[in-house]
Amino acid sequence: MSDSKIIIFLCKEEELTRERKGYFDAFKELGYNVKCSGDVNYSKGNPIFSGDIKLIIQPEASPILPFDVFELNIPVACFQIDTNLAARQRAK
């Protein structure tokens, strides 16, 4: 698959459960090259953050968020699936 349309999930692959796995699979079906970043603290110099990245997703289950992710100038989204639980903590 081409690296021309990349979506990165900020988590380990084994953290993709239920809804997260569904989104991961749906993006693949749409033709995106979907990757999991694993444990990363910084995006600069990490090869997973190279190529034509269209979206970075923080899938709620994982606390992983590279310190410099917003310096990449790439849209970042976060899943909030069970929003009735710990709403104040999620807002932070």
Side-chain angles (χ1 to χ4, degrees), residues 25-83:
D25 293 342
F27 283 124
K28 276 188 158 186
E29 286 181 24
L30 290 171
Y32 287 92
N33 181 0
V34 189
K35 304 176 181 183
C36 288
S37 67
D39 287 323
V40 294
N41 289 325
Y42 293 94
S43 56
K44 288 186 181 161
N46 189 318
I48 194 95
F49 293 99
S50 63
D52 187 17
I53 301 170
K54 300 297 183 188
L55 180 65
I56 297 172
I57 298 174
Q58 199 286 344
E60 176 186 28
S62 174
I64 298 168
L65 189 63
F67 297 115
D68 60 346
V69 72
F70 297 110
E71 293 176 24
L72 293 173
N73 206 22
I74 298 168
V76 177
C78 177
F79 290 145
Q80 294 295 316
I81 296 166
D82 294 323
T83 57

